[in-house]
Amino acid sequence: MRDVLLIFAIALGAALGIGLAGAVLLRVLRRSSITVHLSVLLTTTVIAVAVGVMAVAEAMFLSAHDLEVVLITVAAAAVVSLAVGGHFGGRLARAAVWRDQARERERQLEKGRRDLVAWVSHDLRTPLAGLRAMAEALEDRVVRDPDTVDEYHRRIRLETDRMTRLVDDLFELSRINAGALRLSLTAVPLGEVVSDALASTTPLADARRIKLIASESGWPTVAASEPELARVVANLLLNAVRYTPADGTVRIEAGREDDHAWLSVADTCGGIPPADLPRLFDIAFRGEPARTPGPGDGGASGGLGLAIVHGLVEAHGGRVEVRNTPDGCQFMVRLATA
């Protein structure tokens, strides 16, 4: 019994020394990945066993032959332990990272939902208050002059159109975020889509004395769903016109590069603050007050226009980017060619 206790004490002392060294190493590596921590733990365990056996052997409790057999056995077990531990440690590390990223995405989505509710509440409250005031004025016969009555009717229609666009944007965004968007891809001539978007944007551009410039040729054919692609082009053009000062220029071009097509919308807005560039496609993001559309912008969309562009382009398997240019900014859309 005494020999058993002595063997236990010797093995425990040797293992404790290795365990303390492993604990110190883990503290030094505390900012490292989970895989590194698991590898250190497994290696510490294997070394502790080997050192314990060697310490007992040195105390003359094991013969040289027995020590060799035990060490070979420990080495084989170490190889299996480290291999299994490394494999599953990597899986655990990836799962932990995925959970952290999922939680971060959830926090961002929740913040986006709160921002969206705040923006939409603001954008709906203003026109609704105006509509109520004009409707009460007409109902109470406060306004009798025919020209003023006609103006009130016109403004009621404009505000109704604005809210309709906002509701349409919310519906489109909900389809994108819910994964309910189903695209029917066909060969779409990009030039025709751009021509239609220019025709609908020209009145607003003319009212703001903004020149629209489009290439006369070189328009590729892309694999896309035409209604959604038309929404992308129209939103980019409206965004450029809204933020470009009077007498400015909006230029739209396209071309083919390798196995994809590109569409560029460049304006002379003066540029976007670098801090705002990463957030430009976030829901309800408008940036600094100077870049917030006013009542004469052709119908603001609650900061949803670029978020819809981003979602629709990604649904097509493409990507959209923005960068500053010397006199403004440029949006670049890349899609697969037909």
Side-chain angles (χ1 to χ4, degrees):
M1 186 65 183
R2 181 179 177 184
D3 289 345
V4 172
L5 292 176
L6 182 59
I7 292 172
F8 177 78
I10 293 173
L12 179 63
L16 279 176
I18 299 300
L20 289 174
V24 172
L25 183 59
L26 284 173
R27 182 173 179 79
V28 173
L29 300 174
R30 61 183 179 276
R31 298 185 183 277
S32 301
S33 65
I34 295 177
T35 304
V36 172
H37 281 76
L38 288 175
S39 299
V40 172
L41 283 172
L42 289 171
T43 304
T44 300
T45 302
V46 171
I47 294 176
V49 172
V51 170
V53 170
M54 294 178 67
V56 171
E58 287 294 328
M60 303 300 290
F61 286 99
L62 286 177
S63 65
H65 178 267
D66 292 340
L67 175 61
E68 183 180 357
V69 171
V70 171
L71 289 179
I72 292 174
T73 305
V74 170
V79 171
V80 175
S81 299
L82 292 176
V84 173
H87 174 70
F88 286 99
R91 291 182 58 180
L92 286 173
R94 288 190 293 271
V97 171
W98 181 86
R99 285 194 296 270
D100 288 342
Q101 292 175 344
R103 283 193 293 268
E104 181 61 28
R105 283 195 298 269
E106 182 62 30
R107 283 194 291 268
Q108 291 176 353
L109 287 173
E110 182 59 31
K111 182 179 183 300
R113 283 191 287 266
R114 290 196 300 268
D115 292 344
L116 177 60
V117 170
W119 277 105
V120 172
S121 299
H122 174 270
D123 279 8
L124 285 176
R125 190 182 298 114
T126 302
L128 284 173
L131 286 172
R132 181 182 180 86
M134 288 184 286
E136 289 178 348
L138 292 171
E139 183 180 13
D140 297 339
R141 305 286 183 177
V142 174
V143 177
R144 294 177 177 271
D145 178 63
D147 292 339
T148 305
V149 170
D150 290 343
E151 175 63 18
Y152 272 35
H153 285 152
R154 186 186 70 84
R155 289 170 60 185
I156 288 174
R157 180 182 59 79
L158 290 175
E159 291 298 341
T160 303
D161 290 344
R162 179 185 178 189
M163 287 192 293
T164 300
R165 281 191 292 270
L166 181 57
V167 172
D168 288 344
D169 283 348
L170 285 171
F171 177 69
E172 189 74 27
L173 198 60
S174 67
R175 290 173 62 207
I176 294 171
N177 290 338
L181 185 64
R182 297 293 180 265
L183 301 178
S184 179
L185 301 183
T186 59
V188 179
L190 190 54
E192 295 180 7
V193 175
V194 170
S195 178
D196 292 341
L198 286 171
S200 62
T201 311
T202 296
L204 177 61
D206 291 343
R208 298 178 62 110
R209 304 194 309 276
I210 294 173
K211 187 177 182 181
L212 298 177
I213 301 175
S215 300
E216 296 182 0
S217 60
W219 298 99
T221 299
V222 298
S225 174
E226 187 168 354
E228 282 74 19
L229 180 59
R231 188 71 176 272
V232 168
V233 177
N235 281 10
L236 288 176
L237 278 175
L238 281 173
N239 180 76
V241 171
R242 286 170 183 163
Y243 295 127
T244 298
D247 300 317
T249 301
V250 173
R251 182 183 299 274
I252 182 167
E253 300 172 310
R256 182 189 295 267
E257 186 176 296
D258 297 331
D259 60 344
H260 68 268
W262 57 268
L263 172 73
S264 167
V265 178
D267 58 41
T268 54
C269 67
I272 300 171
D276 287 350
L277 286 175
R279 300 184 56 200
L280 209 61
F281 297 105
D282 289 355
I283 296 174
F285 179 74
R286 284 175 170 170
E288 61 186 39
R291 289 188 57 81
T292 301
D297 67 351
S301 60
L304 306 180
L306 291 180
I308 291 173
V309 167
H310 185 266
L312 291 178
V313 171
E314 286 200 337
H316 280 84
R319 68 180 189 274
V320 58
E321 304 164 343
V322 60
R323 67 180 183 90
N324 281 325
T325 59
D327 55 356
C329 62
Q330 178 189 41
F331 289 84
M332 181 74 74
V333 176
R334 301 183 187 277
L335 296 169
T337 55

